[in-house]
Amino acid sequence: MGINAPLNRKLRMGLVGGGQGSFIGRVHSIAACLDNRAELVAGALSSDPDRAKASAPDYDIQPDRAYAGIKELIEKELALPTEKRIDFVSVATPNHTHFEVAKAAAEAGFAVFCDKPMTFDLSQAEELARIVEKTKGVFVVTHNYTGYPLVRQAREMILAGELGEINAVRSCYIQGWLRSRLESSGQKQAEWRTDPKRSGIAGCFGDIATHAYNLGRFMTGLIPDTVSCHLKTFEPGRALDDYGTAIIRYKNGALGSVTASQISHGRENDLRIEIDGTKGSLEWNQENPNQMIYRRNGQPMALYTRGGGPYLGSMAAGATRIPAGHPEGYLEAFANIYAAGFEAIAARAAGNHADCRNSLFPNVFDGVDGMNFITQCVASSQQNAGWLSLYHSACR
Ligand code: NAD
């Protein structure tokens, strides 16, 4: 990977969120700049204007480009000459603010890298998709787990038919950090995630089940048909779900399940997926992401390793940076999402077609799909796990 041909320069990044004491903004800045194809030059880093400015030196952002909010960022960046102006905006703020920030950035002509869930509610997601269809801009949703080399290997094997017809997709994302009412201690990340005014209609399901659902869709390419879901709130007094299971019927007859928990003692970020096909089964787990197991009855179990050799397809081989055996992980996978987005930005700049519907990176339509999944899971749970459609016209 190198500089962004044919632009032949680094892309300029504006970061929204990521202020002192926050989590994912720093990850975005590392991931975007890991391959030396981008530099962070501007930011509106916090909801508190003073903290936004105070946080800028932590990222080497110059004071004149440390903005108090998205409005100022857009106005002042648009006023700069094009050779100084940012190329893209990364949205690393709590869910209720994604829409305002992403819409303003997309309408101003910037590429957008927006964290998940894409918006606060489905109607906002639909509007973002309409905007992107109109502007034809690059819009990336950081479902970062699809950036792991072996996740891409699984996709390549499945789409090539190596596993045969896919019958079952079991994914789960299990955490334990919200086993107590951490939100009442003032812990920032717990506070907004358990608040319906900032998180959206779902808690745990919006926060992490969306990743598990998206992972199944990315790996298998299956089209979902209907969903039946049961959500629970186990911590007394909490306003949103902290546990749930959804059963998904796919169009091809396959059955899927997505379980998400934030109340399982001792569990950290246990996102795992198992896929059963008529010819073979795959198993992958993000806490051990450099390995994937492939099983076929009557044959020895095969252990795929990241960078392990010529058996890897081009998607996996192109997503690694260092020799096998040296662990790569979360940051590198996140950087792979950015790398795919940068390819699209460079292609657009050269006047070439970049397919932003069937892209390698998760796009605005995947974002709508995620919001539709959350919406239908909550509605199904309210109807005693009744079966509801997962069809959405934007996600053809
Ligand atoms: P956080 O609370 O740690 O940080 C949020 C930051 O955004 C803070 O600095 C806050 O001041 C700032 N902010 C809030 N409103 C703002 C506004 N209007 N303008 C500018 N800055 C504003 O939250 P977090 O854990 O980093 O999560 C942020 C987002 O990233 C959420 O949508 C979350 O779901 C997502 N996330 C994704 C992953 C992933 O793996 N892809 C992991 C964690 C979080």
Coordinates of all heavy atoms in Angstrom, one line a residue, residues 15-25 27-28 44-48 51-52 55 68-70 91-98 100-101 115-117 142-145 173 188-189 192-193 206-207 211 330 334, ligand 1:
L15 N -11.4 15.2 12.1 CA -12.0 14.2 13.1 C -13.0 14.9 14.0 O -12.8 16.0 14.5 CB -10.8 13.7 14.0 CG -11.2 12.8 15.2 CD1 -11.9 11.5 14.6 CD2 -10.0 12.4 16.0
V16 N -14.2 14.3 14.1 CA -15.2 14.8 15.0 C -15.4 13.8 16.1 O -15.8 12.6 15.8 CB -16.5 15.1 14.2 CG1 -17.6 15.7 15.1 CG2 -16.3 16.0 13.0
G17 N -15.3 14.3 17.3 CA -15.2 13.4 18.5 C -13.7 13.0 18.7 O -12.9 13.6 18.1
G18 N -13.5 12.2 19.7 CA -12.1 11.8 20.0 C -11.4 12.7 21.0 O -10.2 12.7 21.2
G19 N -12.2 13.6 21.7 CA -11.7 14.5 22.7 C -11.1 13.7 23.9 O -11.3 12.5 24.0
Q20 N -10.5 14.5 24.8 CA -9.9 13.9 26.0 C -10.9 13.0 26.7 O -12.0 13.4 27.0 CB -9.3 14.9 26.9 CG -8.0 15.6 26.3 CD -7.7 16.9 27.0 OE1 -8.5 17.5 27.8 NE2 -6.6 17.5 26.6
G21 N -10.5 11.8 27.1 CA -11.3 10.9 27.9 C -12.2 10.0 27.0 O -13.0 9.2 27.5
S22 N -12.1 10.2 25.7 CA -13.0 9.4 24.8 C -12.3 8.2 24.3 O -11.1 8.0 24.5 CB -13.5 10.3 23.6 OG -12.4 10.5 22.8
F23 N -13.0 7.3 23.6 CA -12.4 6.1 23.1 C -12.1 6.0 21.6 O -10.9 6.1 21.2 CB -13.3 4.9 23.5 CG -13.0 3.6 22.8 CD1 -11.7 3.2 22.6 CD2 -14.1 2.7 22.4 CE1 -11.4 2.0 22.0 CE2 -13.8 1.5 21.8 CZ -12.5 1.1 21.6
I24 N -13.1 6.0 20.8 CA -12.9 5.5 19.4 C -12.2 6.5 18.5 O -11.7 6.2 17.4 CB -14.2 4.9 18.8 CG1 -13.9 3.9 17.7 CG2 -15.1 6.0 18.2 CD1 -13.4 2.6 18.2
G25 N -12.3 7.8 18.8 CA -11.7 8.8 18.0 C -10.2 8.6 17.8 O -9.7 8.7 16.7
V27 N -8.7 5.8 17.9 CA -8.6 4.6 17.0 C -8.7 5.1 15.5 O -8.0 4.6 14.6 CB -9.6 3.5 17.3 CG1 -9.7 2.4 16.3 CG2 -9.4 3.0 18.7
H28 N -9.7 5.9 15.2 CA -9.9 6.4 13.9 C -8.6 7.1 13.4 O -8.2 6.9 12.2 CB -11.1 7.4 13.8 CG -12.4 6.7 13.7 ND1 -13.0 6.5 12.5 CD2 -13.2 6.2 14.6 CE1 -14.2 5.9 12.7 NE2 -14.3 5.7 14.0
A44 N -13.1 18.7 15.3 CA -14.1 19.3 16.3 C -14.2 18.1 17.3 O -15.0 17.2 17.1 CB -15.4 19.6 15.6
L45 N -13.3 18.1 18.3 CA -13.0 16.9 19.0 C -13.9 16.6 20.2 O -13.9 15.5 20.7 CB -11.6 17.0 19.5 CG -10.5 17.1 18.4 CD1 -9.1 17.4 19.0 CD2 -10.5 15.9 17.5
S46 N -14.7 17.6 20.6 CA -15.5 17.3 21.8 C -16.8 18.1 21.7 O -16.9 19.1 21.0 CB -14.8 17.8 23.0 OG -15.6 17.7 24.2
S47 N -17.9 17.7 22.5 CA -19.1 18.4 22.6 C -18.9 19.7 23.4 O -19.7 20.6 23.3 CB -20.2 17.5 23.2 OG -19.7 17.1 24.4
D48 N -17.9 19.7 24.2 CA -17.5 20.9 25.0 C -16.5 21.7 24.2 O -15.3 21.2 24.0 CB -17.0 20.4 26.3 CG -16.4 21.5 27.2 OD1 -16.2 22.6 26.7 OD2 -16.0 21.2 28.3
R51 N -13.0 21.9 25.7 CA -12.3 20.6 25.7 C -11.9 20.3 24.2 O -10.8 19.7 24.0 CB -13.2 19.5 26.3 CG -12.4 18.2 26.4 CD -13.2 17.2 27.0 NE -13.3 17.3 28.5 CZ -13.3 16.3 29.3 NH1 -13.3 15.1 28.9 NH2 -13.4 16.6 30.6
A52 N -12.7 20.7 23.3 CA -12.4 20.4 21.9 C -11.0 21.1 21.5 O -10.2 20.5 20.9 CB -13.5 21.0 21.0
S55 N -8.0 19.5 23.4 CA -7.7 18.2 23.0 C -6.8 18.2 21.7 O -6.2 17.2 21.4 CB -8.9 17.3 22.7 OG -9.8 17.3 23.9
A68 N -14.8 24.4 17.3 CA -15.7 24.2 18.4 C -16.8 23.2 18.1 O -17.4 22.6 19.0 CB -16.3 25.6 18.9
G69 N -17.1 23.1 16.8 CA -18.2 22.1 16.5 C -18.2 21.9 15.0 O -17.4 22.5 14.2
I70 N -19.1 21.0 14.5 CA -19.1 20.6 13.1 C -19.4 21.8 12.2 O -18.9 21.9 11.1 CB -20.1 19.5 12.9 CG1 -20.2 19.0 11.4 CG2 -21.5 19.8 13.3 CD1 -18.9 18.4 10.9
V91 N -16.4 10.5 11.8 CA -17.4 10.7 12.8 C -17.3 9.7 14.0 O -17.6 8.5 13.8 CB -18.9 10.6 12.2 CG1 -19.9 11.1 13.2 CG2 -18.9 11.4 10.9
A92 N -16.8 10.2 15.1 CA -16.5 9.3 16.2 C -17.2 9.9 17.5 O -16.6 9.9 18.6 CB -15.0 9.2 16.4
T93 N -18.4 10.2 17.3 CA -19.2 10.8 18.4 C -20.3 9.8 18.8 O -20.6 8.9 18.1 CB -19.9 12.1 17.9 OG1 -20.6 11.8 16.7 CG2 -18.8 13.2 17.6
P94 N -21.0 10.1 19.9 CA -22.1 9.2 20.3 C -23.2 9.2 19.2 O -23.4 10.2 18.4 CB -22.6 9.8 21.6 CG -21.4 10.5 22.2 CD -20.7 11.0 21.0
N95 N -24.0 8.1 19.2 CA -25.0 7.9 18.1 C -25.9 9.0 17.8 O -26.2 9.2 16.6 CB -25.8 6.6 18.5 CG -25.0 5.4 18.9 OD1 -23.8 5.4 18.7 ND2 -25.6 4.4 19.4
H96 N -26.4 9.7 18.7 CA -27.4 10.8 18.5 C -26.9 11.9 17.7 O -27.7 12.7 17.1 CB -28.1 11.3 19.8 CG -27.1 12.1 20.6 ND1 -26.0 11.5 21.2 CD2 -27.2 13.3 21.1 CE1 -25.4 12.4 21.9 NE2 -26.1 13.5 21.9
T97 N -25.6 12.0 17.5 CA -25.0 13.2 16.8 C -24.5 12.8 15.4 O -24.1 13.6 14.6 CB -23.8 13.7 17.6 OG1 -22.8 12.7 17.7 CG2 -24.2 14.2 19.0
H98 N -24.5 11.5 15.1 CA -23.9 11.0 13.8 C -24.6 11.7 12.6 O -23.9 12.1 11.7 CB -24.1 9.5 13.6 CG -23.2 8.7 14.5 ND1 -23.1 7.3 14.5 CD2 -22.4 9.0 15.5 CE1 -22.3 6.8 15.4 NE2 -21.8 7.9 16.0
E100 N -26.3 14.5 12.2 CA -26.0 16.0 11.9 C -24.6 16.1 11.3 O -24.4 16.9 10.4 CB -26.1 16.7 13.3 CG -25.9 18.2 13.1 CD -25.5 18.9 14.4 OE1 -25.5 18.2 15.5 OE2 -25.1 20.0 14.4
V101 N -23.7 15.4 11.9 CA -22.3 15.6 11.5 C -22.1 15.0 10.1 O -21.5 15.6 9.2 CB -21.3 14.9 12.5 CG1 -19.9 15.0 12.0 CG2 -21.5 15.5 13.9
D115 N -18.9 6.2 12.3 CA -19.0 5.0 13.1 C -20.4 4.5 13.2 O -21.3 5.1 12.7 CB -18.3 5.2 14.5 CG -17.5 4.0 14.9 OD1 -18.0 2.9 14.8 OD2 -16.3 4.2 15.2
K116 N -20.5 3.3 13.8 CA -21.8 2.6 13.8 C -22.4 2.8 15.2 O -21.7 3.1 16.1 CB -21.6 1.1 13.5 CG -20.5 0.3 14.3 CD -20.3 0.6 15.7 CE -21.3 0.1 16.7 NZ -20.9 0.4 18.1
P117 N -23.7 2.5 15.4 CA -24.7 2.3 14.4 C -24.7 3.7 13.6 O -24.5 4.7 14.2 CB -26.0 2.1 15.2 CG -25.7 2.6 16.5 CD -24.3 2.5 16.8
T142 N -17.9 2.4 9.7 CA -16.7 1.6 10.3 C -17.2 0.3 11.1 O -17.0 0.2 12.3 CB -15.8 2.4 11.1 OG1 -16.5 3.3 12.0 CG2 -15.0 3.3 10.2
H143 N -17.8 -0.6 10.3 CA -18.0 -2.0 10.8 C -16.6 -2.6 10.6 O -16.3 -3.4 9.7 CB -19.1 -2.7 10.0 CG -20.4 -2.4 10.5 ND1 -20.8 -2.7 11.8 CD2 -21.5 -1.9 10.0 CE1 -22.1 -2.3 12.0 NE2 -22.5 -1.8 10.9
N144 N -15.7 -2.3 11.6 CA -14.3 -2.5 11.4 C -13.9 -4.0 11.3 O -12.9 -4.4 10.8 CB -13.5 -1.8 12.5 CG -14.1 -2.1 13.9 OD1 -15.3 -1.7 14.1 ND2 -13.4 -2.6 14.8
Y145 N -14.8 -4.9 11.9 CA -14.4 -6.3 11.9 C -14.3 -6.9 10.5 O -13.7 -7.9 10.3 CB -15.4 -7.1 12.8 CG -15.4 -6.5 14.2 CD1 -16.4 -5.7 14.7 CD2 -14.3 -6.7 15.1 CE1 -16.4 -5.1 15.9 CE2 -14.3 -6.1 16.3 CZ -15.3 -5.3 16.7 OH -15.3 -4.7 18.0
Y173 N -21.8 -11.5 20.1 CA -20.9 -10.5 20.6 C -21.1 -10.4 22.1 O -22.2 -9.9 22.5 CB -21.1 -9.2 19.9 CG -19.9 -8.2 20.0 CD1 -19.6 -7.3 19.0 CD2 -19.1 -8.2 21.1 CE1 -18.5 -6.5 19.1 CE2 -18.0 -7.3 21.2 CZ -17.7 -6.5 20.2 OH -16.7 -5.6 20.3
K188 N -18.4 7.7 31.3 CA -18.9 8.4 30.1 C -19.4 7.5 29.1 O -20.6 7.6 28.6 CB -17.6 9.1 29.6 CG -17.7 10.1 28.5 CD -16.3 10.5 28.2 CE -16.1 11.3 26.9 NZ -16.7 12.6 26.9
Q189 N -18.7 6.4 28.7 CA -19.1 5.5 27.7 C -20.4 4.7 28.1 O -21.2 4.5 27.2 CB -18.0 4.5 27.3 CG -16.9 5.2 26.5 CD -15.9 6.0 27.3 OE1 -15.8 5.8 28.5 NE2 -15.1 6.8 26.6
W192 N -23.9 7.3 28.0 CA -24.7 7.6 26.8 C -25.2 6.3 26.2 O -26.3 6.3 25.5 CB -23.9 8.5 25.8 CG -22.7 7.9 25.1 CD1 -21.4 8.2 25.3 CD2 -22.8 7.1 24.0 NE1 -20.6 7.5 24.5 CE2 -21.4 6.8 23.6 CE3 -23.8 6.5 23.2 CZ2 -21.1 5.9 22.5 CZ3 -23.5 5.6 22.2 CH2 -22.1 5.4 21.8
R193 N -24.4 5.2 26.3 CA -24.9 4.0 25.7 C -26.2 3.4 26.3 O -26.9 2.6 25.7 CB -23.8 2.9 25.8 CG -22.7 3.1 24.7 CD -21.6 2.0 24.8 NE -20.7 2.0 23.7 CZ -19.7 2.8 23.5 NH1 -19.5 3.7 24.4 NH2 -18.9 2.7 22.5
G206 N -28.0 -2.2 19.6 CA -27.5 -1.2 18.7 C -26.0 -1.1 18.8 O -25.3 -0.9 17.8
D207 N -25.5 -1.3 19.9 CA -24.0 -1.1 20.2 C -23.2 -2.2 19.6 O -22.2 -2.0 18.8 CB -23.8 -1.0 21.7 CG -22.4 -0.3 22.0 OD1 -22.0 0.5 21.2 OD2 -21.8 -0.7 23.0
H211 N -22.7 -5.2 14.9 CA -21.5 -5.7 14.4 C -21.6 -7.2 14.0 O -21.2 -7.6 13.0 CB -20.4 -5.6 15.4 CG -19.7 -4.2 15.5 ND1 -19.2 -3.6 14.3 CD2 -19.4 -3.4 16.5 CE1 -18.6 -2.5 14.7 NE2 -18.7 -2.3 16.0
Y330 N -6.9 -5.4 16.0 CA -8.0 -4.4 15.8 C -7.6 -3.2 15.0 O -8.3 -2.8 14.1 CB -8.4 -4.0 17.3 CG -9.6 -3.1 17.4 CD1 -10.9 -3.7 17.4 CD2 -9.4 -1.8 17.6 CE1 -12.0 -2.9 17.5 CE2 -10.6 -1.0 17.8 CZ -11.8 -1.5 17.7 OH -12.9 -0.7 17.9
F334 N -9.0 -2.1 11.4 CA -9.7 -0.8 11.3 C -9.0 0.0 10.1 O -9.7 0.6 9.3 CB -9.5 0.0 12.6 CG -10.8 0.8 13.0 CD1 -11.5 0.4 14.1 CD2 -11.1 1.9 12.3 CE1 -12.6 1.2 14.5 CE2 -12.3 2.7 12.6 CZ -13.0 2.3 13.7
Ligands
NAD1 P1 -17.0 8.4 23.8 O1 -18.0 8.9 24.8 O2 -15.8 7.8 24.4 O3 -16.5 9.6 22.9 C1 -17.3 10.5 22.2 C2 -16.6 11.8 21.9 O4 -17.4 12.6 21.0 C3 -16.3 12.7 23.1 O5 -15.0 13.3 23.0 C4 -17.4 13.7 23.1 O6 -17.1 14.9 23.7 C5 -17.5 13.9 21.6 N1 -18.7 14.5 21.1 C6 -20.0 14.3 21.5 N2 -20.8 15.1 20.8 C7 -20.1 15.8 19.9 C8 -20.4 16.7 18.9 N3 -21.6 17.1 18.7 N4 -19.3 17.3 18.2 C9 -18.1 16.9 18.5 N5 -17.7 16.0 19.4 C10 -18.7 15.5 20.1 O7 -17.7 7.5 22.8 P2 -17.0 6.2 22.0 O8 -17.0 5.0 22.9 O9 -15.7 6.7 21.4 O10 -18.1 6.0 20.8 C11 -18.3 6.9 19.8 C12 -19.0 6.3 18.6 O11 -18.2 5.2 18.1 C13 -20.3 5.6 19.0 O12 -21.2 5.8 17.9 C14 -20.0 4.2 19.2 O13 -21.1 3.3 18.9 C15 -18.9 4.0 18.2 N6 -17.9 2.9 18.5 C16 -17.5 2.1 17.6 C17 -16.6 1.1 17.8 C18 -16.1 0.1 16.8 O14 -15.5 -0.9 17.1 N7 -16.4 0.4 15.5 C19 -16.1 1.0 19.1 C20 -16.5 1.9 20.1 C21 -17.4 2.9 19.8

